[in-house]
Amino acid sequence: MKSIRVALAGAGNCAWSFSQFVAIAQADPDTKLPGLMCPMVGGYRLSDVHIVAAFDVDAKKVGRPLAEAFTAPTISATGFTRLGTDGDSMVLPAPLLDGLDGPLGAVVEQAAATRSATEEDVAKALVEWEVDVLVITLPTGASQAVHMFANAALAAGVAVVNATPEELARNEDIRSRFADAGVVILGDDLRSHVGATSLHTTLVELLLSRGLVLTSTYQLNVGGNTDFLNLADSTRSATKFASKANALRAAGMTDVEGAAGPTGFIEHLADTKVCFAHLQATSVLGSEVEIDVKLKVEDSPNAAGVIANAVRAAKVATDRGLSGVVDEASALLFKSPPHGLPESEARSAFLNFAS
Ligand SMILES: NC(=O)c1ccc[n+]([C@@H]2O[C@H](COP(=O)([O-])OP(=O)(O)OC[C@H]3O[C@@H](n4cnc5c(N)ncnc54)[C@H](O)[C@@H]3O)[C@@H](O)[C@H]2O)c1
């Protein structure tokens, strides 16, 4: 029977939504799931995914089964369903490093068991649980912790999906190490399913494809989950700004610095994210075109839709003997792949890969 054994580095909001998406698929593998872009990726259904372990540092999560960990106070994503047997998988301690630097340190208590945890322990657990794919959903800015998980996965020969904007796939040294070791890595920074980046880059591509000259644009984002709390600290959000700029560059824009990023934490929004995108361009005879749009989404399910494609793509690539970064998957699913493409080209490449 086909199966993909997944471990989650970070049992936070994205992990919770993804786990629910998998649970719904497992309960009825033949059901049509809204938002599931590809029922099959290289012969794998979403119901073939099994979440066998998770790692975290939160005292409310470590040492507990996943289903209980997802009741921690920092979880604000909606509970749509209960987890099946994957909910019994345990949350294991991981080294903290810079995981809770910034505002998160005030809302999360570090689990005592994490103080002695090492990278080697993580690698050992990945081998012990026969993990195929490690999904890294750590806080943005936790560069040391993200690199630690990448190194542990590499040592264990486990494929990596980097949902965070920290530099892994776009770091030449790291992707070469994965390629040399015959291990797949996909990243960086999830491009949410129908999110601010996809909306903004689609509009940029529309205007540029008609020969207009873009004169001004910005993308403002507010939300109330721990991701937005963390991103409210400028020492944590730098890689997110850089990543969103990479996505705009791939869409054809040149002047991208600071044009898009997280702009505010509004606690009562919880897992709701609101994006305001503005574009102004010069058209025929110097006439002006102005677009202002608002997008309101539940942030974490929006990530789950992409992780559902990414874990299956990582396993398919591994089955096919590929290693390092797989451009056909990374260009569509991430904001900052090493080789970015306009979304229409990225989508064709992915659908071709997934067929
Ligand atoms: N739509 C989306 O939500 C979306 C889209 C693109 C990218 N992302 C990225 O995904 C990542 C995760 O987002 P989230 O909303 O799930 O965040 P979250 O704050 O809900 O979860 C992060 C989890 O990581 C844990 N953690 C911190 N340090 C750790 C360590 N050293 N080892 C193990 N666990 C550790 C925290 O305790 C928490 O459980 C962020 O980097 C975010 O920018 C999210």
Side-chain angles (χ1 to χ4, degrees):
M1 203 177 73
K2 284 196 146 195
S3 146
I4 308 176
R5 294 174 67 84
V6 169
L8 305 166
N13 285 294
C14 291
W16 167 223
S17 290
F18 173 63
S19 303
Q20 293 181 72
F21 204 21
V22 170
I24 291 175
Q26 287 171 345
D28 182 359
D30 295 320
T31 195
K32 186 173 171 354
L33 297 173
L36 185 66
M37 183 179 151
C38 300
M40 286 282 188
V41 175
Y44 288 99
R45 299 197 285 187
L46 185 56
S47 54
D48 296 325
V49 171
H50 298 282
I51 299 163
V52 297
F55 300 90
D56 211 286
V57 292
D58 186 336
K60 298 268 186 326
K61 297 175 183 174
V62 171
R64 299 213 152 97
L66 255 188
E68 270 180 34
F70 289 138
T71 63
T74 49
I75 296 290
S76 53
T78 307
F80 293 94
T81 190
R82 295 162 76 91
L83 301 188
T85 51
D86 288 3
D88 299 334
S89 298
M90 294 303 289
V91 180
L92 308 170
L96 174 61
L97 301 168
D98 52 357
L100 299 177
D101 285 3
L104 293 177
V107 296
V108 178
E109 183 198 341
Q110 184 185 356
T114 63
R115 294 187 198 281
S116 55
T118 64
E119 183 181 310
E120 290 69 35
D121 295 337
V122 173
K124 225 170 111 189
L126 292 173
V127 172
E128 191 179 321
W129 288 99
E130 297 178 22
V131 172
D132 296 307
V133 183
L134 176 71
V135 184
I136 304 181
T137 55
L138 295 191
T140 294
S143 173
Q144 294 167 15
V146 168
H147 282 81
M148 180 278 299
F149 274 108
N151 286 331
L154 191 56
V158 168
V160 166
V161 168
N162 180 24
T164 82
E166 302 315 299
E167 263 195 34
L168 291 183
R170 64 189 192 282
N171 179 304
E172 205 175 324
D173 173 53
I174 293 172
R175 66 171 180 270
S176 301
R177 283 167 53 215
F178 273 78
D180 292 346
V183 181
V184 169
I185 180 161
L186 303 183
D188 299 321
D189 196 13
L190 290 181
R191 177 188 283 261
S192 286
H193 210 44
V194 180
T197 298
S198 288
L199 177 69
H200 198 179
T201 55
T202 299
L203 292 172
V204 166
E205 282 175 36
L206 170 72
L207 297 178
L208 297 182
S209 70
R210 302 295 200 275
L212 275 67
V213 177
L214 204 55
T215 50
S216 159
T217 188
Y218 55 78
Q219 177 203 122
L220 310 175
N221 297 286
V222 294
N225 56 24
T226 42
D227 190 24
F228 273 92
L229 173 66
N230 178 54
L231 290 167
D233 181 336
S234 62
T235 64
R236 298 288 267 183
S237 61
T239 48
K240 188 61 101 180
F241 274 98
S243 180
K244 280 182 175 276
N246 287 340
L248 289 172
R249 211 173 277 118
M253 258 181 77
T254 44
D255 189 10
V256 293
E257 295 321 317
T263 29
F265 172 66
I266 300 176
E267 191 171 3
H268 71 78
L269 286 180
D271 199 41
T272 299
K273 166 176 167 170
V274 184
C275 158
F276 300 93
H278 167 83
L279 301 97
Q280 209 169 325
T282 306
S283 186
V284 178
L285 298 174
S287 58
E288 286 296 309
V289 173
E290 197 171 320
I291 303 174
D292 285 287
V293 283
K294 172 186 164 186
L295 173 77
K296 187 173 169 186
V297 291
E298 286 193 47
D299 203 20
S300 305
N302 218 9
V306 189
I307 300 174
N309 289 336
V311 290
R312 291 180 293 161
K315 179 67 164 77
V316 171
T318 305
D319 292 350
R320 291 180 185 165
L322 302 175
S323 62
V325 175
V326 179
D327 288 332
E328 296 87 332
S330 280
L332 178 72
L333 305 178
F334 299 90
K335 295 187 195 84
S336 279
H339 304 109
L341 288 175
E343 193 162 323
S344 49
E345 288 174 41
R347 191 167 45 248
S348 314
F350 180 74
L351 292 176
N352 198 26
F353 171 85
S355 64

